[in-house]
Amino acid sequence: MKKILTTSLLFLFLSYASAQTFIVSGIRYSVTLNNAVSVVTLGDSQNEEPHYSGNVIIPSTVVYLGTTYNVTSISDYAFSLCRLLTTISIPNTVKTIGRYAFNSCIGLTTITIPNSVTSIEPFAFSKCFQLKSIVLSNSMKKINESTFEYCQSLTSVVFPNSLENIGVWSFYQCLSLTNLTIPDSVTSISDAAFRECSGLITIKIPNSVTFLGDFVFGYCSSLNSIEIPNSISTIGSRVFEYCTSLKTIILPNSLIWITGDAFQGSFGIESVTVNAITPPTVGLYTFSTFNKSIPLNVPKNSVDLYKNAFGWKDFLYINGVAMGLKNSIESNYYINISNRNIKISNVAGKSIGIFEVSGRKLFETSNAQNVEQCTVSNQGVYFISIDNVLKKIIVN
């Protein structure tokens, strides 16, 4: 009986200790085990009006009734809806940041996640509309679901080299992101991770990435070029849907399958380069929105394969090029079009060709002068080849 009573008292004590909360210097803490505390909402529940505001500095330790506690976590909803919170300092003792911890902190502008943090739970910073920059912990391996969705002012994200997975909807509608470099530790970018990032112009995807989720770049309406790394074998559903500024695409030699709606609504594509020797299998509508007169660059020895492959054979101009060439003419060449005269400058020693859409050659030299030019008889679409790399031009 004594043993049972002792055990019951111990259980009650532990239950009390784990549920105990207190406030020190305006921050409410909840006691966990092992002399550790978690930062919690100032209200008694997540439904009460919170009151954290201004500049909040979370200490690494806090003393209450003579006991020193380590601050090891920020609980679910701790700062949620704190609309007047402007800055937050998180100590290096914090290991986890809970679900919705900073949700709708519309005054928060910057955040640095200390290297002690190993986990940020879903929706932690969602709807922080004024958040402009994030530096993530180099202990993190995953960005969870919707962690930064609707952070519409976000312009800068520093990804750690420890990162392996970018989760579903994690940066959905981050409208102000323009350029991103994914570290080569990342192996997967999950569904809709960057969907509707309408300001995104360029993104560099490393060869470490083996999986691109569905919808991942859908409605990225400013994205103008994309190079898929050689580690990708499949382009899934609506990955590039309605990327209306997308002009150039480079597809890897590892690619074996493109779904039928991968490029749905992307009407502006001007050239495609495929490094795969065997034509990847495509869906019925994979190229339904493509202008079939754009140049399709394929490996030199694979031209006939592409001319006979389903989907690919519909392209009118299939050009055999050396493997690994870029999809567009380098910017240090200058093309000027005036009164149906095409002038190409800064091309000394280059191999130059000018072609009609039908493939008929209008001009060719294997050892160009610094300036070469050709006058065409009609308005319309033409192609310029510089060292076997094509560019479509329009002569008005």
Side-chain angles (χ1 to χ4, degrees), residues 51-121:
H51 302 287
Y52 292 117
S53 62
N55 178 24
V56 174
I57 300 174
I58 302 173
S60 58
T61 61
V62 62
V63 179
Y64 182 69
L65 296 179
T67 301
T68 300
Y69 297 95
N70 293 315
V71 181
T72 59
S73 62
I74 299 173
S75 294
D76 296 351
Y77 299 94
F79 294 90
S80 182
L81 298 173
C82 291
R83 296 182 176 89
L84 299 180
L85 181 70
T86 54
T87 61
I88 183 80
S89 176
I90 302 173
N92 256 319
T93 52
V94 169
K95 297 179 180 179
T96 61
I97 298 174
R99 294 171 64 91
Y100 294 95
F102 294 92
N103 171 61
S104 298
C105 290
I106 60 176
L108 190 64
T109 57
T110 62
I111 188 77
T112 297
I113 309 299
N115 292 332
S116 57
V117 173
T118 58
S119 175
I120 300 177
E121 296 304 307

Side-chain angles (χ1 to χ4, degrees), residues 46-354:
Q46 67 192 48
N47 297 317
E48 293 191 19
E49 185 67 23
H51 302 287
Y52 292 117
S53 62
N55 178 24
V56 174
I57 300 174
I58 302 173
S60 58
T61 61
V62 62
V63 179
Y64 182 69
L65 296 179
T67 301
T68 300
Y69 297 95
N70 293 315
V71 181
T72 59
S73 62
I74 299 173
S75 294
D76 296 351
Y77 299 94
F79 294 90
S80 182
L81 298 173
C82 291
R83 296 182 176 89
L84 299 180
L85 181 70
T86 54
T87 61
I88 183 80
S89 176
I90 302 173
N92 256 319
T93 52
V94 169
K95 297 179 180 179
T96 61
I97 298 174
R99 294 171 64 91
Y100 294 95
F102 294 92
N103 171 61
S104 298
C105 290
I106 60 176
L108 190 64
T109 57
T110 62
I111 188 77
T112 297
I113 309 299
N115 292 332
S116 57
V117 173
T118 58
S119 175
I120 300 177
E121 296 304 307
F123 304 95
F125 294 93
S126 65
K127 299 181 182 178
C128 290
F129 297 131
Q130 298 303 315
L131 187 62
K132 292 179 172 60
S133 64
I134 307 162
V135 179
L136 294 171
S137 160
N138 63 17
S139 300
M140 291 177 57
K141 292 187 176 181
K142 181 179 181 180
I143 298 174
N144 275 305
E145 174 188 0
S146 301
T147 299
F148 299 103
E149 69 173 2
Y150 299 110
C151 291
Q152 297 178 350
S153 299
L154 187 63
T155 59
S156 172
V157 181
V158 178
F159 294 107
N161 287 325
S162 58
L163 192 64
E164 296 176 0
N165 175 251
I166 299 175
V168 297
W169 302 93
S170 49
F171 291 93
Y172 174 66
Q173 275 203 19
C174 289
L175 307 180
S176 299
L177 286 176
T178 56
N179 301 284
L180 286 176
T181 298
I182 307 298
D184 58 13
S185 56
V186 173
T187 59
S188 64
I189 303 176
S190 300
D191 294 355
F194 296 98
R195 184 177 173 85
E196 295 187 33
C197 290
S198 58
L200 188 62
I201 299 171
T202 61
I203 184 164
K204 185 177 181 181
I205 306 172
N207 281 325
S208 58
V209 174
T210 58
F211 175 76
L212 287 177
D214 296 339
F215 317 105
V216 66
F217 297 110
Y219 291 88
C220 289
S221 54
S222 297
L223 190 66
N224 58 32
S225 65
I226 191 72
E227 182 170 359
I228 307 297
N230 283 326
S231 46
I232 296 293
S233 61
T234 299
I235 298 178
S237 179
R238 301 185 180 185
V239 172
F240 298 103
E241 70 169 338
Y242 289 94
C243 292
T244 52
S245 296
L246 189 60
K247 298 187 183 304
T248 62
I249 304 169
I250 301 177
L251 301 175
N253 56 27
S254 56
L255 193 64
I256 59 176
W257 166 242
I258 307 174
T259 61
D261 56 359
F263 297 97
Q264 178 176 299
S266 296
F267 299 102
I269 296 169
E270 296 181 354
S271 62
V272 179
T273 291
V274 191
N275 286 305
I277 294 174
T278 300
T281 302
V282 299
L284 183 61
Y285 301 108
T286 298
F287 302 123
S288 63
T289 59
F290 284 47
N291 180 346
K292 301 307 186 298
S293 68
I294 66 173
L296 173 62
N297 301 324
V298 303
K300 278 185 177 180
N301 296 328
S302 298
V303 172
D304 289 341
L305 292 176
Y306 280 86
K307 285 183 175 180
N308 291 285
F310 176 79
W312 302 104
K313 65 183 180 182
D314 297 332
F315 286 89
L316 300 178
Y317 194 85
I318 301 177
N319 185 53
V321 299
M323 293 282 288
L325 284 179
K326 292 184 178 179
N327 200 34
S328 59
I329 290 174
E330 295 179 14
S331 60
N332 57 333
Y333 304 138
Y334 302 99
I335 300 171
N336 180 266
I337 303 170
S338 178
N339 296 323
R340 298 183 186 174
N341 179 262
I342 303 169
K343 180 186 290 186
I344 313 168
S345 305
N346 203 26
V347 289
K350 302 294 182 181
S351 176
I352 306 296
I354 299 176

Side-chain angles (χ1 to χ4, degrees), residues 9-26:
L9 288 173
L10 178 60
F11 175 79
L12 288 172
F13 172 77
L14 291 175
S15 298
Y16 169 77
S18 63
Q20 182 187 10
T21 65
F22 57 85
I23 296 176
V24 173
S25 299

